Amino acid sequence: MKGDPLAPAAPLKGLGGPLRSSEPARIGPARSRAVDLLEEAADLLVVHLDFRAALDTCERAWESLASDGLREEEEAPGTCVEVQCSLCVVGIQALAEMDRWQEVLSWVLRYYKVPEKLPPKVLELCILLYSKMEASGIMLDAVTAWLQDPANQGLAEYGALAALHLQRVLLPLGHLSQAEELLAGSAALDEEQRRGVLHAIHSAKQRQTQERSGLPPTQKQEGALSHKFQSLLMLLRQLWDAAVSHFFALPFKKSLLAALILCLLVVRFDPASPSSLPFLYKLVQFFEWIRKARFPRLYQLPIRD
């Protein structure tokens, strides 16, 4: 995951803007140790690219929050929640940069205990990360539990997370019936989100129908092209037979001239082009007409069993 960040700086704006080592965090009159550690962790992650140290600093900040979190909540209500969310964002980014993305969900649940308590931004980052790594199944139970919690259904981010769960988790896993149930039972999705999800479900159903019918769409197309190619070969063979039989019935000089004209026609016109087929059919009919005019008795003989 090195060199492919998950853009962790944006969620840190909950503390008044991206944290920098030269800029104090604007959280209130008193700075706590957890906020200092958060600023240090962000510096280690973004400036020094020391991902291991950034993760260790986040964990020390969590320990600090656990020891004096109640006092911080009394001094600055809501600040502790913002610090926790920002610490998760930095920690998720550090784990991803160290190619330890498999540990992300278990790492955040170490502090939030149950998925229902995850902040919306943290849950969104987890969905995007595991979807990008094509491991959406890891998030299935966690996101389902979060969406079913009544305390989360009134949040402003609920609709966006439900749509993200449908498109990044349920549909890639092929859980179409569960996706339709969630779409029907969720009133938080706006009209645009519903149209997008319905289109995605319809496309997924079409793919499943094509897979069950046998050959994939590419193989079906190849089979149709192969049939057209065989028809073209049969047409060319008929054309060649008619031309050869006619050449033998002409004097040598006329045969040579006709062969030259035929070669020019074949070289000038691409036999594989669909536009060449009507010309080739007319050419076959022309040679057949010459043969009948040259040998009328041959075509008037009775057919014997």
Side-chain angles (χ1 to χ4, degrees), residues 16 24 34 56-57 132 134 154 156 192 196 208 267 269 284:
D56 292 340
T57 305
K132 183 176 182 180
E134 299 182 355
E192 184 178 356
Q208 284 189 354
V267 171
F269 295 96
V284 171

Side-chain angles (χ1 to χ4, degrees), residues 23-52:
E23 179 183 1
R26 297 183 292 274
I27 64 170
R31 284 175 62 95
S32 67
R33 174 171 169 75
V35 174
D36 291 335
L37 290 173
L38 172 59
E39 182 179 347
E40 180 183 347
D43 233 17
L44 290 168
L45 176 71
V46 179
V47 179
H48 302 286
L49 303 180
D50 191 345
F51 310 124
R52 176 70 261 181

Side-chain angles (χ1 to χ4, degrees), residues 1 5-12 84-94 96 101 104-105 107-108 118-133 139 143 161 164 168:
M1 295 291 295
L6 293 172
L12 299 181
Q84 289 174 342
C85 182
S86 299
L87 286 172
C88 279
V89 172
V90 176
I92 290 172
Q93 180 70 26
W101 56 270
V104 164
L105 182 60
W107 186 81
V108 296
L118 291 176
K121 189 61 181 179
V122 173
L123 185 65
E124 178 186 1
L125 283 178
C126 291
I127 295 174
L128 293 174
L129 173 63
Y130 284 103
S131 173
K132 183 176 182 180
M133 303 308 297
M139 292 299 302
V143 185
L161 283 173
L164 190 66
R168 296 297 186 96

